[in-house]
Amino acid sequence: MTTPMLRPLAITIALLLSISACTAQPKPDKPSSILDLSNWKLSVPVEANHEGHPLEVQQPALDSYSSQFMFTGPGKTDVVFRTPAAGTIQPGSDFPRTELREMTGRGQVEAKWSTRTGTHEMVVEQAVTLLPRSTPDVVVGQIHDSAKFVLIIRLDGNHLYARMQDGKMDTLNGDYSLGTYFTLKIVAGDGSVAVYYNDELKAMHRKNCSSCYFKAGMYLQTSSDTGEATDSSGEVRIRSLIVSHR
């Protein structure tokens, strides 16, 4: 039984614990309330403090981040990644992006793994909902290494396909309709990369590479610098994003 003198102290402690519990959880209207972003960082197509470089949002700031480029959808069941054609372009690239890059160590260390050891998997449930008008061509998933892409998942018009670094292409859906959700699974291991579309194996290629990592989001293949309208954008909505290594 709590004595009258101890009641104010007990109430204060309970209140502090309640506040701490609330602040430790992502807010319901934040993307991190839908997707586990603990081992990702985000590239945003706006200029950072140093000229010519896009903004990067890392943990712990990413847990509370929301903007016109990454935000929760109307039903709070997916996260919208939006990239304007007039956005800032990342050095070494030709086009703007709003894209997650795989990390480790609670988002503090850039992920690096090899296709020769272990099994590395990314599963994304997503829908492309908007394409740039003049060049309706976007990338919505990648394996990248330290120098260039290993695999990209690309939508060109209504042709959704996987493309390897060496140019090999495999159709995932030859008549994709905007707004249609699909499950993409990319598995790398034993010197190979496999791509599944709605649980169906669509591509399998031998590939040995190191310093690899996954990427997900909206990466345009056009920009206002190459003639795309400045008010044109691309958009993808992600319901689920899970990465595992074993």
Side-chain angles (χ1 to χ4, degrees), residues 17-33:
L17 288 173
S18 175
I19 292 171
S20 176
C22 290
T23 56
Q25 299 299 319
K27 294 181 179 179
D29 61 340
K30 301 299 182 184
S32 59
S33 67

Side-chain angles (χ1 to χ4, degrees), residues 168-209:
K168 292 175 183 173
M169 293 170 51
D170 298 274
T171 295
L172 305 181
N173 187 334
D175 191 22
Y176 177 78
S177 297
L178 287 182
T180 304
Y181 277 89
F182 61 92
T183 299
L184 172 74
K185 181 168 74 172
I186 302 172
V187 183
D190 295 325
S192 296
V193 173
V195 180
Y196 296 79
Y197 179 79
N198 291 337
D199 296 324
E200 182 180 351
L201 179 62
K202 292 288 190 176
M204 171 73 82
H205 297 286
R206 298 296 299 174
K207 184 64 181 178
N208 289 323
C209 64

Side-chain angles (χ1 to χ4, degrees), residues 37-41 57-64 106-108:
L37 300 175
S38 56
N39 275 317
W40 297 94
K41 71 175 178 179
V57 185
Q58 295 187 236
Q59 292 292 0
L62 186 57
D63 260 343
S64 58
R106 298 293 299 176
Q108 302 305 305

Side-chain angles (χ1 to χ4, degrees), residues 13-178:
I13 292 172
L15 181 60
L16 289 173
L17 288 173
S18 175
I19 292 171
S20 176
C22 290
T23 56
Q25 299 299 319
K27 294 181 179 179
D29 61 340
K30 301 299 182 184
S32 59
S33 67
I34 298 170
L35 303 179
D36 180 0
L37 300 175
S38 56
N39 275 317
W40 297 94
K41 71 175 178 179
L42 178 71
S43 179
V44 182
V46 294
E47 197 164 278
N49 293 331
H50 39 301
E51 185 178 351
H53 288 255
L55 177 68
E56 284 193 344
V57 185
Q58 295 187 236
Q59 292 292 0
L62 186 57
D63 260 343
S64 58
Y65 180 81
S66 181
S67 73
Q68 62 179 309
F69 307 108
M70 186 181 80
F71 54 94
T72 57
K76 309 298 182 188
T77 58
D78 53 25
V79 177
V80 182
F81 292 78
R82 179 178 292 161
T83 304
T88 299
I89 297 172
Q90 189 169 310
S93 179
D94 296 319
F95 312 113
R97 67 183 85 197
T98 302
E99 192 177 42
L100 293 168
R101 194 260 197 227
E102 185 191 2
M103 304 286 282
T104 62
R106 298 293 299 176
Q108 302 305 305
V109 181
E110 292 188 342
K112 295 178 182 179
W113 43 264
S114 170
T115 58
R116 292 185 289 271
T117 57
T119 300
H120 316 278
E121 183 176 292
M122 180 172 74
V123 182
V124 192
E125 185 182 1
Q126 62 186 345
V128 181
T129 51
L130 181 66
L131 292 172
R133 292 194 300 274
S134 299
T135 307
D137 190 356
V138 299
V139 169
V140 294
Q142 296 190 59
I143 294 178
H144 212 280
D145 66 16
S146 58
K148 51 191 172 182
F149 80 85
V150 174
L151 164 77
I152 57 173
I153 305 302
R154 189 164 174 169
L155 177 63
D156 187 352
N158 62 353
H159 184 205
L160 181 65
Y161 62 95
R163 182 186 171 207
M164 297 294 292
Q165 186 186 98
D166 60 7
K168 292 175 183 173
M169 293 170 51
D170 298 274
T171 295
L172 305 181
N173 187 334
D175 191 22
Y176 177 78
S177 297
L178 287 182

